[in-house]
Amino acid sequence: MLLRHSHTSPYVRKVTVLLHETGLFDQVTIETIDGWSEPEILTGENPLSMVPTLVLDDGQTLFDSPVICEYLDRCHIGRRMIPATGERHWRVMREQALADGVLDSAILIFMELYKRPEALRWDWWLDLKRRAIRRSLDSLERDADALRERVDLGTIAIAVALSYLDLRGAVGEWRDGRPALAGWHEGFNRRPSMIATTPPA
Ligand SMILES: N[C@@H](CCC(=O)N[C@@H](CS)C(=O)NCC(=O)O)C(=O)O
């Protein structure tokens, strides 16, 4: 398998943390590529020109990150990162959706602040996306007890999203007023899988 990768993409990081946690990392070739420049090799595999994209040994391709994570979780014999059924399954899927939504909002803020010409900056949009992130963080703070002692796709996605907020600073210091979430993140961040996938400064 080959993973089209970027060092700063949090969606890619979610996949690579899962690869480390499941022991699959050594079975995947990692190739760094810039989706934004629409390289032909990537657009041929994924018309959206986005990373992560996973190329299977038979040439089939998979995207986006939730689909790749679900596929990879069926490729190992260890503890499942996505519980198969029931309340635990839906909790993990919901957490992933919330964490990915935080990332989507943070990336839109990054684009607005650093890619759009300053004269065209849309403050209404920035505020809307920041409120979405803050509400999501507040709900995670309220539910932080439910994150403890868990390593699955839900907690991986949340830890990666919080670390991305540190990297890009979309909402300033997210830890303020959220001590339970901050404490949980600090512990999760010490996992070897998180350390091995830390983006370059
Ligand atoms: N929903 C996608 C989002 C992936 C995504 O936004 N990737 C970004 C890098 S962080 C990308 O490749 N962007 C290139 C582009 O939009 O042209 C996923 O979960 O994989």
Side-chain angles (χ1 to χ4, degrees), residues 4-189:
R4 301 273 179 223
H5 172 277
S6 137
H7 288 286
T8 49
S9 166
Y11 308 96
V12 170
R13 189 177 186 195
K14 182 177 57 164
V15 172
T16 51
V17 170
L18 183 134
L19 285 172
H20 283 284
E21 293 290 350
T22 55
L24 287 171
F25 188 77
D26 291 340
Q27 295 181 36
V28 178
T29 305
I30 306 280
E31 266 195 28
T32 302
I33 197 160
D34 174 21
W36 301 102
S37 60
E38 299 167 281
E40 222 170 283
I41 181 92
L42 182 61
T43 55
E45 293 162 351
N46 177 352
L48 299 170
S49 192
M50 282 187 172
V51 292
T53 294
L54 186 71
V55 185
L56 305 182
D57 293 341
D58 66 2
Q60 280 190 73
T61 58
L62 291 178
F63 46 88
D64 54 358
S65 63
V67 176
I68 294 172
C69 288
E70 186 172 345
Y71 178 83
L72 291 172
D73 200 33
R74 295 178 194 202
C75 293
H76 67 99
I77 53 165
R79 197 170 35 80
R80 298 263 79 87
M81 294 288 113
I82 305 174
T85 54
E87 197 185 314
R88 288 178 60 228
H89 172 84
W90 295 114
R91 180 171 67 189
V92 164
M93 299 314 274
R94 182 184 188 279
E95 286 168 347
Q96 176 180 222
L98 187 67
D100 285 2
V102 166
L103 290 178
D104 296 344
S105 298
I107 286 171
L108 289 168
I109 290 170
F110 178 78
M111 299 303 289
E112 196 66 34
L113 288 178
Y114 300 109
K115 299 289 179 194
R116 191 190 291 276
E118 200 174 338
L120 300 178
R121 192 175 288 165
W122 194 7
D123 287 331
W124 179 87
W125 181 250
L126 282 168
D127 290 343
L128 185 79
K129 295 296 129 192
R130 285 188 175 125
R131 284 197 299 276
I133 294 177
R134 291 193 179 111
R135 279 194 304 270
S136 304
L137 295 174
D138 289 342
S139 86
L140 288 169
E141 171 71 12
R142 284 192 296 275
D143 293 344
D145 275 353
L147 304 177
R148 293 187 201 294
E149 314 299 332
R150 280 175 47 209
V151 180
D152 54 36
L153 184 58
T155 52
I156 291 171
I158 291 167
V160 165
L162 295 174
S163 294
Y164 187 74
L165 294 180
D166 285 334
L167 184 75
R168 296 295 196 216
V171 287
E173 180 47 85
W174 61 265
R175 291 170 181 80
D176 289 349
R178 301 184 187 99
L181 190 60
W184 171 80
H185 178 253
E186 195 185 341
F188 200 95
N189 232 0

